[in-house]
Amino acid sequence: MSPRRARRRESSRPFGFPTGIDKVEEWPDGEWKVRTLTGASSTKTYRCPGCDQEIRVGQPHLVAWPNWPGGDEERRHWHPACWRKRLDRGPGRSRY
């Protein structure tokens, strides 16, 4: 008797579409759309603008961008701790 194979469910999302739920966060520097990503949904290495370190493939992180028309062009991938502490950084460093 051969083992049963698990059937994969068909997804309505296109391949490579990031999984997560967008939420709007209000901060002193404006409104931001934030999407939390699981490690399984990340497919390439990114550089966190908060600490300038790599976010490796498979590492959970978040994506944030300004909540204004055209703001999705400013998307950045962050470590969650760096995102929370970004307003505490000194002058001379970009806030996003």
Side-chain angles (χ1 to χ4, degrees), residues 66-72:
N67 188 24
W68 64 60
D72 56 343

Side-chain angles (χ1 to χ4, degrees), residues 33-55:
K33 286 189 180 179
V34 178
R35 177 183 298 149
T36 303
L37 299 176
T38 65
S41 66
S42 60
T43 58
K44 67 182 211 179
T45 301
Y46 298 98
R47 185 156 304 270
C48 175
C51 64
D52 204 33
Q53 300 296 311
E54 287 185 349
I55 302 172

Side-chain angles (χ1 to χ4, degrees), residues 55-82:
I55 302 172
R56 295 197 172 107
V57 174
Q59 184 176 7
H61 64 283
L62 60 89
V63 181
W65 63 97
N67 188 24
W68 64 60
D72 56 343
E73 302 287 328
E74 303 292 326
R75 279 191 314 236
R76 299 291 181 266
H77 294 253
W78 293 77
H79 293 111
C82 296

